[in-house]
Amino acid sequence: MRPGVVTVLCLVQFVDVLGVTSVVTAIPAILDGVGADQAAAGPLATTYAMFFGAMLILGARLGDRYGHRRILLVGIAVFGLVSVIGGTANALPQVLIARAVQGAAAAVSAPSALRLILHATTVGPARSRALAAWSAVGAAAGATGFLVGGLLTTSLGWSSVFWVNAPVAALLFAGVVLVVRDQPDRGRAERLDILGAVLLVGAVMPVIAGTALLEKQATRTNGVGLLLIGAAVASLLTWRLRHAQSPLVPREAFRSMNLRRGSVQSFVNTATTSSSSVLATLVLQHRLGIPALLSGLVLMAFSLAVVVGSAATGRLAPRLGPDRLAAVGTATIAGGNVVLMTLGQSWPWIGTGVAVIGFGLAAASVAATSLGTSVPGTLTGSAAGIVNTGAQLGTAIGTAVVILIATASEPSAGWAVAAAGSLACAAWCGSRPHSNTPSRH
């Protein structure tokens, strides 16, 4: 393995996930800058996540078809170039287009980056450390994005949130060219199922957008309508996957117990951590009156804990195995949510609670990714996309549910639901026989 391969590929993951939240802090400034109504805040906040979540599996299949290194380079280049559209925007549609294309480019990049990490490392301590780093930067990037977006907006203006992507993408592009090699086993003989891809996007996008709309009473009806549309398109997608000659998701993927379990774990991980972090942000700003930038600093405890936890996880993972590691991680997440539920009325305890959650997420994410990608080599690319899609859906649906409950009752009720979900997952993982170890690709 060339030095720096894992570092470069993890940085791709960091930038891709950072893009989900980095613009959120800048939304008021963006709306003022382009003269848009406050009602546009919702679409501006969710557009990136919609395209990112909906196109991850397609991005993985593009990598299988044309080579993961090549597709990764295309994704990075587009991600950087489209920053020009966002940075020079003088109207809302231009900003939304930039966010949409960035989300799509990130979705193309992330699965290929993970597949190349798996190709570059062998099963054992080296891969455990690599997956720990991958999970750490992904989890930390989400919380860090709020702080980065606030710092850039405050110091350089909202357009800098877009412009900064150009030099970052250029450095990542050069890094991939210099240190990353493509894997030899590509399924280039398979053609892409275009109709399946369209149906997948049409199923996932309404779910992500609809769940975001459920958080507010005024937009709840529209949210339910979008969820129904997503469910209807999902039924068509199911039919297509069963009958297509070369389905977008290989049929073998549905028969893989590891992939199913890893995807469920990935969903629960983000559903019980992203939701808690968003609720913590609302409590810090709206109930405690702490400014957005200082709230971001409090939530940095989450990111720092993920980094520390990942260092420990990289050493523990080979000895514990994916199921035991997942049980430990999700139980720790439950403990952090209990801290928030019982003591989350002051910023020091909120910082403590999210730090415990971050430490648990480091272990749980490694377990989910390791298990979900422990599949035959021909499925690894698709598995990377499916596991990541599970995480994105978990963020969207989990956040909507927890915020809904917290709004209808108290923040403690929202954190209680997150704690219950992660504790149930811990019990599920802990009850499994501990014989499943990652397979070689």
Side-chain angles (χ1 to χ4, degrees), residues 97-324:
I97 290 171
R99 291 290 285 164
V101 177
Q102 278 187 332
V108 167
S109 304
S112 287
L114 177 55
R115 178 65 185 94
L116 289 166
I117 281 182
L118 296 174
H119 169 66
T121 56
T122 56
V123 175
R127 179 166 295 178
S128 295
R129 289 192 297 270
L131 290 179
W134 173 270
S135 300
V137 298
T144 305
F146 293 107
L147 182 61
V148 170
L151 288 172
L152 288 172
T153 303
T154 302
S155 58
L156 300 174
W158 67 265
S159 61
S160 63
V161 177
F162 290 94
W163 281 118
V164 72
N165 293 314
V168 170
L171 291 174
L172 286 177
F173 190 96
V176 172
V177 169
L178 292 173
V179 304
V180 179
R181 292 173 177 167
D182 205 354
Q183 85 285 359
D185 51 334
R186 306 175 191 142
R188 296 194 176 190
E190 296 182 4
R191 63 185 181 86
L192 286 173
D193 179 15
I194 302 301
L195 177 57
V198 172
L199 290 174
L200 177 64
V201 171
V204 176
M205 276 192 180
V207 171
I208 294 177
T211 50
L213 293 177
L214 291 178
E215 296 173 17
K216 296 182 180 179
Q217 180 68 40
T219 58
R220 202 158 289 167
T221 301
N222 292 336
V224 172
L226 285 173
L227 290 177
L228 292 175
I229 291 172
V233 178
S235 65
L236 294 175
L237 174 63
T238 301
W239 175 87
R240 178 63 182 177
L241 293 176
R242 288 177 177 173
H243 294 89
Q245 185 176 357
S246 299
L248 182 69
V249 180
R251 293 185 180 91
E252 294 82 358
F254 296 101
R255 296 192 288 268
S256 172
M257 178 65 74
N258 282 355
L259 179 53
R260 292 201 302 269
R261 287 178 56 77
S263 298
V264 171
Q265 289 176 18
S266 187
F267 177 93
V268 174
N269 290 345
T270 55
T272 57
T273 57
S274 297
S275 58
S276 298
S277 298
V278 171
L279 183 54
T281 303
L282 295 176
V283 171
L284 285 167
Q285 295 186 36
H286 298 161
R287 291 207 169 195
L288 303 181
I290 297 176
L293 198 55
L294 293 179
S295 297
L297 287 173
V298 173
L299 291 179
M300 281 300 294
F302 174 88
S303 300
L304 294 174
V306 170
V307 173
V308 173
S310 68
T313 299
R315 292 189 291 270
L316 288 174
R319 295 199 294 269
L320 291 179
D323 279 318
R324 283 196 181 112

Side-chain angles (χ1 to χ4, degrees), residues 41-143:
L44 190 54
T46 58
T47 296
Y48 184 102
M50 284 169 55
F51 279 81
F52 186 38
M55 297 185 68
L56 280 163
I57 294 176
L58 175 59
R61 295 298 284 163
L62 287 170
D64 288 340
R65 179 69 176 84
Y66 299 106
H68 289 286
R69 182 175 181 271
R70 179 182 299 174
I71 292 299
L72 174 59
L73 288 171
V74 170
I76 293 172
V78 173
F79 191 91
L81 290 172
V82 77
S83 65
V84 177
I85 297 176
T88 59
N90 52 23
L92 181 65
Q94 192 174 344
V95 179
L96 292 176
I97 290 171
R99 291 290 285 164
V101 177
Q102 278 187 332
V108 167
S109 304
S112 287
L114 177 55
R115 178 65 185 94
L116 289 166
I117 281 182
L118 296 174
H119 169 66
T121 56
T122 56
V123 175
R127 179 166 295 178
S128 295
R129 289 192 297 270
L131 290 179
W134 173 270
S135 300
V137 298

